[in-house]
């Protein structure tokens, strides 16, 4: 972390490899539609060989359990050959020692910045969350200590270098996008060593950005602030340790319209992974409603990915079409259940709209 690896300039890359990881549950269903959208948007670039969509097999719960690995080695090697990933939701086993595939990928690829935008224009909400992605409770969360019948103990990790780089990413975003406020969200009054260190370093970084106000908030009151119409529109950029960021971004997505509407970016210096923020929805699969899953979250992730690989005009086209389909016309509505449209029907509508732009 302290040495750094240098970041890619996608505008200068001759070729870009986009790894496609379907995942579990509803993942393959929504990913199939995301691929259709990407193939439409990137038709010329794919034909010219500048961009390739690379299927990556094996990151399924069945294969991971059979291998006894959160990310099987063959999958990880295939992923490392790509520049960015578009990933569907993956199931994490409850109990046991196998950690989340996402936690493993974030660590192995050093995807230290989890970036999640939330927007509700009619309510003045335009939020971007910068969540530290490789430390906190997630770094050693599956390697705690248990004394049966006595106690269990997990670990929380905060490093100077890890905190500085996520803080720098948040304040740089604020500077480049004309934002004037960064909310630093911790529980430093209780977690005095780890969260106290996070808050202190964030303010040290903030000193390099004199035009941006840095405010401390505790995570409990911030969860209340997000549902307070009189206050929430004043927030712009949020900077949080790992666990708090995981929880509060789901709350924020629900305010936007549900976790099915929000995308997520996991960004490092060398690799980046874009995904839906929701899970694999096993209950929906069991109920036979997988085909009715909302693809909006994975499509938002695809939009974020297009911006990351220096194709903002493609991202704007997708964003504009999504706004027409979900905010203006509503000719095809996905509810997530049989009373709404299927994932495929919505994508047909989206593609029709994109081609008209």
């Amino acid at each position: 972390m302290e040495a750094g690896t240098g970041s890619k300039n996608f505008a200068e890359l001759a070729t870009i490899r986009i790894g496609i990881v379907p995942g579990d549950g509803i993942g393959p269903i929504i990913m199939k539609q995301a691929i259709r959208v990407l193939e439409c948007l990137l038709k010329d670039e794919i034909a010219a060989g500048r961009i390739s969509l690379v299927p990556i097999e094996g990151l399924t719960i069945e294969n991971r359990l059979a291998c006894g690995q959160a990310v099987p080695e063959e999958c990880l090697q295939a992923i490392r050959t790509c520049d960015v990933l578009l990933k569907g939701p993956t199931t994490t086993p409850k109990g046991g020692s196998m950690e989340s595939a996402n936690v493993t990928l974030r660590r192995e690829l050093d995807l230290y910045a989890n970036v999640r935008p939330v927007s509700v224009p009619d309510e003045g909400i335009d939020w971007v969350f910068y969540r530290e992605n490789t430390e906190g409770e997630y770094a050693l969360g599956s390697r705690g200590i248990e004394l049966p019948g006595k106690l269990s103990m997990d670990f929380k990790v905060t490093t100077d270098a890890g905190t500085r780089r996520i803080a720098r990413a948040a304040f740089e975003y604020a500077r480049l996008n004309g934002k004037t406020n960064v909310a630093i969200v911790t529980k430093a009054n209780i977690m005095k060593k780890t969260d106290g260190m996070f808050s202190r370093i964030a303010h040290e970084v903030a000193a390099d950005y004199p035009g941006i106000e840095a405010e401390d908030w505790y995570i409990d009151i911030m969860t209340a602030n997000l549902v307070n119409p009189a206050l929430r529109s004043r927030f712009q950029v949020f900077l949080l340790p790992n666990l708090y960021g995981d929880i509060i971004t789901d709350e924020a997505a629900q305010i936007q319209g549900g976790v099915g509407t929000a995308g997520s970016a996991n960004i490092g210096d060398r690799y980046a992974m874009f995904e839906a923020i929701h899970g694999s929805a096993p209950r929906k699969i069991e109920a036979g409603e997988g085909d009715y899953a909302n693809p909006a979250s994975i499509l938002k992730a695809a939009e974020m990915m297009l911006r990351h690989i220096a194709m903002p005009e493609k991202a704007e086209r997708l964003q504009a079409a999504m706004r027409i389909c979900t905010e203006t016309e509503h000719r095809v509505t996905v509810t997530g259940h049989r009373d709404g449209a299927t994932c495929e029907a919505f994508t047909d509508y989206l593609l029709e709209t994109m081609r008209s732009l």
Side-chain angles (χ1 to χ4, degrees):
M1 283 190 289
E2 291 174 347
T5 58
S7 58
K8 290 180 179 178
N9 185 339
F10 283 92
E12 296 179 353
L13 290 183
T15 60
I16 299 172
R17 288 170 60 85
I18 300 173
I20 303 294
V21 182
D24 299 310
I26 64 171
I29 297 169
I30 61 175
M31 185 63 76
K32 181 179 179 181
Q33 305 311 317
I35 291 171
R36 293 177 65 200
V37 170
L38 289 176
E39 287 177 339
C40 175
L41 284 168
L42 301 172
K43 179 181 178 181
D44 293 341
E45 290 78 7
I46 292 172
R50 174 146 193 259
I51 287 184
S52 56
L53 304 181
V54 183
I56 296 176
E57 306 294 337
L59 199 65
T60 63
I61 185 61
E62 295 82 8
N63 191 44
R64 287 182 282 140
L65 287 173
C67 295
Q69 297 175 301
V71 178
E73 188 60 32
E74 288 186 5
C75 291
L76 185 58
Q77 293 307 315
I79 287 168
R80 289 187 187 278
T81 69
C82 299
D83 299 292
V84 296
L85 297 181
L86 185 64
K87 177 184 166 295
T90 47
T91 299
T92 302
K94 294 181 180 178
S97 60
M98 182 178 290
E99 70 180 358
S100 155
N102 272 8
V103 171
T104 300
L105 287 171
R106 289 165 183 164
R107 182 179 64 248
E108 293 294 331
L109 304 179
D110 199 22
L111 307 176
Y112 60 85
N114 184 223
V115 183
R116 296 182 176 183
V118 168
S119 176
V120 188
D122 291 345
E123 299 184 26
I125 293 173
D126 184 16
W127 299 331
V128 177
F129 295 83
Y130 272 77
R131 164 195 172 196
E132 200 293 315
N133 214 22
T134 59
E135 299 184 351
E137 294 82 356
Y138 293 66
L140 297 171
S142 60
R143 306 179 198 181
I145 295 172
E146 182 177 6
L147 300 179
K150 298 294 183 181
L151 64 86
S152 296
M153 181 166 51
D154 288 322
F155 303 99
K156 179 170 182 172
V157 177
T158 301
T159 69
D160 186 298
T163 303
R164 286 187 190 279
R165 65 183 183 177
I166 188 63
R168 185 74 60 189
F171 279 95
E172 273 296 298
Y173 172 85
R175 181 183 68 83
L176 293 171
N177 290 275
K179 306 299 183 181
T180 57
N181 179 275
V182 174
I184 303 162
V185 184
T186 68
K187 192 64 176 172
N189 56 333
I190 302 299
M191 308 298 291
K192 296 181 184 295
K193 297 291 190 295
T194 51
D195 285 11
M197 176 181 178
F198 190 96
S199 176
R200 173 179 58 78
I201 292 174
H203 280 281
E204 289 175 4
V205 172
D208 295 333
Y209 299 85
I212 300 171
E213 179 185 20
E215 290 186 301
D216 273 305
W217 292 91
Y218 294 139
I219 181 61
D220 45 355
I221 191 61
M222 184 56 82
T223 61
N225 288 341
L226 294 194
V227 294
N228 182 349
L231 186 63
R232 63 190 183 187
S233 62
R234 71 181 293 272
F235 297 111
Q236 298 175 345
V237 180
F238 299 78
L239 170 60
L240 314 93
N242 206 336
L243 178 61
Y244 310 143
D246 191 5
I247 295 168
I248 205 170
T249 52
D250 278 7
E251 181 194 15
Q254 193 64 34
I255 293 168
Q256 179 176 253
V259 293
T261 68
S264 177
N266 302 268
I267 299 172
D269 292 333
R270 186 174 179 186
Y271 300 101
M273 177 173 73
F274 299 83
E275 60 182 344
I277 74 167
H278 56 70
S280 57
R283 291 187 184 90
K284 187 173 291 295
I285 295 295
E286 290 170 6
E289 292 188 327
D291 288 339
Y292 296 88
N294 191 341
S297 186
I298 196 70
L299 294 174
K300 179 62 179 179
E303 178 203 324
M304 297 174 73
M305 181 188 72
L306 290 168
R307 295 186 193 281
H308 184 75
I309 64 174
M311 295 192 171
E313 71 289 346
K314 310 283 188 182
E316 292 292 340
R317 187 178 169 199
L318 174 54
Q319 183 185 59
M322 283 292 290
R323 283 177 174 166
I324 291 171
C325 293
T326 61
E327 299 175 17
T328 306
E329 292 184 350
H330 295 289
R331 285 199 287 116
V332 178
T333 301
V334 176
T335 66
H337 303 287
R338 289 183 176 87
D339 62 350
T342 64
C343 182
E344 182 176 10
F346 176 82
T347 307
D348 290 341
Y349 172 39
L350 178 67
L351 289 171
E352 175 190 334
T353 303
M354 280 196 331
R355 293 186 181 110
S356 70
L357 295 177

